[in-house]
Amino acid sequence: MLMLRNFPALAIVAILLATGLTTTADAETQQPLGRSIGKLKNDKALTIGYFGGSITAGAGASNPLKTSWRALTTAWFKEHFPGALITEVNAAIGGTGSDLGAFRCQADLLAKNPDLVFIEFAVNDGGRAELRVKRSIEGIVRQLLLSNPWAEIVFIYTTTKTLAPAYAAGDVPKAVGYHQAIARHYGIPEINVGQALVERMARGDDSWETLTIDGVHPNDAGYAVYAKSIEEFLESHMHDRAAPPQIMLPDPLTKDPFSGAHLEDATALHAPGWQKEDKPLGGRFPHYIASNQPGTELVRKFSGTTVGVYWLVAPDSGDIEWSIDGGPPKRLSSWDKYALKSARANYAILADDLASGEHTLKIKVLDEKNPQSLGTWIRIGALLVHCDC
């Protein structure tokens, strides 16, 4: 097998043509896990990425390292390929959707060079705008395949009690439909574990109370139902043959997918008045800049159509005023009611409809805050920037 993970796309195409391999896979003959199965059998190694929200992280499981659907899926691979080195990349962050996923894809997932990636964002994408979801999911897919054309992707659709009625009506939740549009455009296999959970309840075998802790996060029994659907899919593809890598991607389904989305480390920016903290941002980013002094500004020129902040929501978080290209300033708080319990990394996309080209973002710390907040601290780990270049 040719190892071309980090080669430029044109160089890969040239090598494939020279060796007689095609640059696109025939949709009718492509087998979803052929390259992963081949790597397990031949190289005796596989790196599996899990990209999603709290359900992928394992919230609700008695032991996320053992009883979550993620852990059970990794265990399945280890059981069926005992001589292979199986490496798990847990790139899940609770309470976040595919939009943040697109921006952190490079740092949290691609940097680990996964061979097989399970993507689960349908629950957290629920209620979000269709175009934002499709641009985000498509951006993740394109980043993965442009980084490593041999990588294989599987979409996982989990569910919640509030999303489930769509299945009873013979439909799927809106966010699942948005994901399906992207999956089918790129020939990505899908496993609707949420539908399996709902159907089990409809048969009277179980209920939301017996399979989840809160109507959203499964307990161990619920995760076992999810894992069973995934295991059945994996077992049905145990003998897949490797398909050619997806070198020449189809034209994007959306006008401006987040394939150029990335994080700009705030500690590397010119930020007078901000103190650099060499400690994790809610355990999700290695460091951040911080200020609680009203009037402190962060000014950053960037090229792209989308910009946002990756910051800490904490009991003492304050508010900012932000503007783009000298436009009317807008106010935004980095505090919310959940901060009363604990601090966590969170994000806000400030604008995602900018004209292509260079822009200037200005952020200013305010002395005003939510009355329940304990301070006016603003802690920024990174800027979210999507370059459409």
Side-chain angles (χ1 to χ4, degrees):
M1 177 182 291
L2 294 170
M3 301 303 293
L4 307 177
R5 184 184 301 276
N6 296 314
F7 276 41
L10 291 177
I12 296 176
V13 173
I15 294 173
L16 290 171
L17 293 174
T19 56
L21 294 176
T22 59
T23 58
T24 57
D26 187 329
E28 295 183 359
T29 60
Q30 184 175 356
Q31 300 189 62
L33 298 182
R35 296 192 290 274
S36 295
I37 296 299
K39 196 170 190 302
L40 284 164
K41 292 179 178 178
N42 300 323
D43 298 348
K44 307 296 183 183
L46 192 74
T47 298
I48 308 171
Y50 295 91
F51 208 32
S54 60
I55 296 176
T56 295
S62 63
N63 185 343
L65 298 178
K66 293 184 178 180
T67 58
S68 64
W69 75 261
R70 183 193 77 249
L72 293 171
T73 300
T74 299
W76 182 93
F77 278 99
K78 291 181 177 180
E79 177 185 351
H80 287 76
F81 299 93
L85 174 63
I86 308 296
T87 302
E88 177 185 302
V89 177
N90 177 9
I93 298 181
T96 65
S98 61
D99 47 4
L100 177 62
F103 289 93
R104 64 184 183 86
C105 185
Q106 176 61 49
D108 291 357
L109 187 63
L110 301 188
K112 311 299 192 303
N113 295 321
D115 304 296
L116 172 64
V117 179
F118 292 95
I119 297 177
E120 176 273 318
F121 282 112
V123 164
N124 286 351
D125 280 349
R128 298 173 188 252
E130 178 178 358
L131 182 57
R132 168 79 65 80
V133 172
K134 287 183 175 178
R135 290 176 69 197
S136 301
I137 285 292
E138 183 166 32
I140 291 170
V141 168
R142 294 183 77 87
Q143 287 185 55
L144 281 166
L145 296 179
L146 289 169
S147 171
N148 177 13
W150 273 270
E152 292 178 318
I153 303 169
V154 178
F155 277 14
I156 303 292
Y157 305 136
T158 59
T159 195
T160 69
K161 189 174 183 178
T162 58
L163 296 177
Y167 293 115
D171 201 355
V172 296
K174 288 183 178 180
V176 171
Y178 304 157
H179 287 215
Q180 287 179 335
I182 301 302
R184 293 166 190 181
H185 186 67
Y186 290 89
I188 294 170
E190 311 156 69
I191 310 175
N192 198 328
V193 300
Q195 186 169 9
L197 193 80
V198 172
E199 289 175 351
R200 183 176 178 84
M201 296 177 190
R203 293 194 301 267
D205 297 336
D206 274 293
S207 66
W208 289 102
E209 290 70 30
T210 61
L211 294 179
T212 72
I213 63 169
D214 55 7
V216 176
H217 302 97
N219 55 24
D220 288 354
Y223 277 122
V225 174
Y226 279 174
K228 185 175 185 294
S229 294
I230 297 170
E231 290 167 5
E232 289 173 352
F233 170 85
L234 295 174
E235 288 166 1
S236 71
H237 291 281
M238 279 281 284
H239 303 290
D240 281 3
R241 298 178 62 184
Q246 294 193 44
I247 301 298
M248 305 299 286
L249 298 183
D251 290 337
L253 186 65
T254 61
K255 182 180 179 181
D256 185 23
F258 285 164
S259 50
H262 60 280
L263 300 176
E264 288 196 359
D265 191 332
T267 65
L269 304 179
H270 178 63
W274 296 79
Q275 58 192 60
K276 296 183 178 181
E277 299 288 351
D278 191 21
K279 52 187 176 183
L281 181 85
R284 299 299 179 180
F285 200 73
H287 37 237
Y288 58 87
I289 58 174
S291 176
N292 70 340
Q293 297 302 309
T296 303
E297 293 186 343
L298 175 64
V299 179
R300 175 61 175 169
K301 289 186 177 181
F302 67 95
S303 180
T305 60
T306 305
V307 69
V309 289
Y310 193 23
W311 59 5
L312 191 72
V313 174
D316 60 353
S317 290
D319 293 7
I320 63 167
E321 185 177 85
W322 65 271
S323 63
I324 296 177
D325 299 334
K330 298 180 181 180
R331 181 173 169 178
L332 183 65
S333 180
S334 66
W335 184 94
D336 62 24
K337 62 181 181 180
Y338 302 106
L340 292 171
K341 295 182 179 180
S342 62
R344 71 189 191 282
N346 209 326
Y347 66 105
I349 292 181
L350 304 177
D352 66 353
D353 57 355
L354 300 171
S356 179
E358 187 172 272
H359 301 277
T360 300
L361 169 68
K362 179 184 288 187
I363 293 173
K364 183 170 70 173
V365 179
L366 298 179
D367 58 358
E368 301 165 332
K369 64 180 182 65
N370 186 288
Q372 291 182 280
S373 175
L374 302 178
T376 58
W377 281 99
I378 300 297
R379 302 174 178 92
I380 300 175
L383 296 183
L384 313 178
V385 177
H386 165 52
C387 176
D388 59 345
C389 51

